[in-house]
Amino acid sequence: MRVLLVEDDPMIAQGLQTALRDGGFAVDWMRDGAGAAAALRTAAFDLVLLDLGLPRRDGIDVLRELRRRGDTTPVIILTARDDIQHRVAGLDAGADDYVVKPFDLDEVTARMRSVLRRAAGRGEPVIQHGDLRLDPVTRTVERGGVPVNLSAHEYAVLEALLQRPGAVLSRAQLEDRLYGWDEQIGSNAVEVYVHGLRRKLGSDAIRTLRGVGYFVPKA
Ligand code: CA
């Protein structure tokens, strides 16, 4: 899952980035509203964490532009405790949820999972697909009731593919979900993770559409 974090306070941003990366998210950080708007026009994100008081362009304004072009990317706004007026304005401008600063990191990631679940049209947090069971809260995978030990990157690839069984994701789309802009990507990294997943889950678990990408067959 690739997250755009828009926050001008470096202390908050760094704490969040570390926690999110530990939680298996790829994070890109923008410090101002104009940069965030540009990033949202050019790249695809699974979720946006959006501060409202930002240099160069207000967060609400960035959010309104996003929704005006019909972009439904989930947005969680980050607001100060006494800032009810902005919180309401943010929700009315199309935010999906909010967290109040200073926030608890566990609450932020729980709200992110909840918003991502709704965006994927699922009420149930666990993804069950055939005999595969993926739990985004514990980040664990079972096959036929037996735990499968996956690396963080293998898990991220499998989670991305299981969001929409049958849909093909290209190598570039999978790379986007694995890394932030400032992280190095090995040219065959995705192939390596897919190979690892096939070894652990069976060679049929992930299919290749030659020259296009990878998919999980519909159950
Ligand atoms: Ca701010």
Side-chain angles (χ1 to χ4, degrees):
M1 292 281 170
R2 188 176 182 186
V3 177
L4 178 65
L5 168 63
V6 190
E7 170 62 68
D8 60 321
D9 182 327
M11 288 268 284
I12 295 176
Q14 258 141 31
L16 264 175
Q17 276 193 97
T18 306
L20 294 177
R21 286 194 176 133
D22 287 350
F25 292 96
V27 187
D28 297 306
W29 174 29
M30 297 303 299
R31 301 151 190 257
D32 67 73
L40 286 165
R41 278 192 297 265
T42 51
F45 297 93
D46 295 296
L47 187 142
V48 185
L49 289 174
L50 181 65
D51 182 28
L52 296 181
L54 291 166
R56 293 179 67 206
R57 202 166 161 191
D58 191 72
I60 296 269
D61 198 37
V62 173
L63 176 58
R64 285 209 181 101
E65 182 194 310
L66 184 76
R67 295 298 185 235
R68 247 198 322 268
R69 12 169 233 281
D71 190 320
T72 58
T73 303
V75 174
I76 297 177
I77 50 180
L78 311 168
T79 70
R81 187 170 296 284
D82 52 0
D83 202 0
I84 293 166
Q85 207 182 335
H86 278 111
R87 206 180 302 162
V88 171
L91 290 169
D92 282 343
D96 298 273
D97 202 354
Y98 64 87
V99 282
V100 174
K101 296 180 198 176
F103 40 71
D104 181 278
L105 289 169
D106 287 340
E107 187 192 350
V108 177
T109 49
R111 285 190 185 273
M112 288 171 66
R113 286 193 298 269
S114 149
V115 163
L116 287 166
R117 218 159 47 224
R118 270 181 273 145
R122 292 198 321 271
E124 167 69 30
V126 169
I127 301 176
Q128 183 83 46
H129 181 73
D131 62 351
L132 264 185
R133 184 178 191 280
L134 180 144
D135 185 341
V137 177
T138 55
R139 303 181 58 74
T140 54
V141 173
E142 287 179 4
R143 175 149 226 190
V146 180
V148 182
N149 195 12
L150 300 183
S151 74
H153 283 134
E154 288 167 350
Y155 174 92
V157 167
L158 182 64
E159 185 182 45
L161 292 170
L162 280 176
Q163 296 291 330
R164 280 178 60 209
V168 180
L169 291 179
S170 69
R171 192 173 83 179
Q173 286 172 316
L174 286 168
E175 282 171 352
D176 275 354
R177 282 169 170 76
L178 291 171
Y179 302 96
W181 291 322
D182 53 351
E183 289 173 81
Q184 293 292 317
I185 305 178
S187 62
N188 65 343
V190 168
E191 281 89 338
V192 171
Y193 304 139
V194 168
H195 178 78
L197 285 167
R198 283 177 176 152
R199 191 164 47 77
K200 293 173 183 178
L201 299 172
S203 53
D204 281 351
I206 294 173
R207 304 268 175 85
T208 304
L209 193 60
R210 206 166 288 283
V212 183
Y214 301 101
F215 67 102
V216 167
K218 288 189 177 175

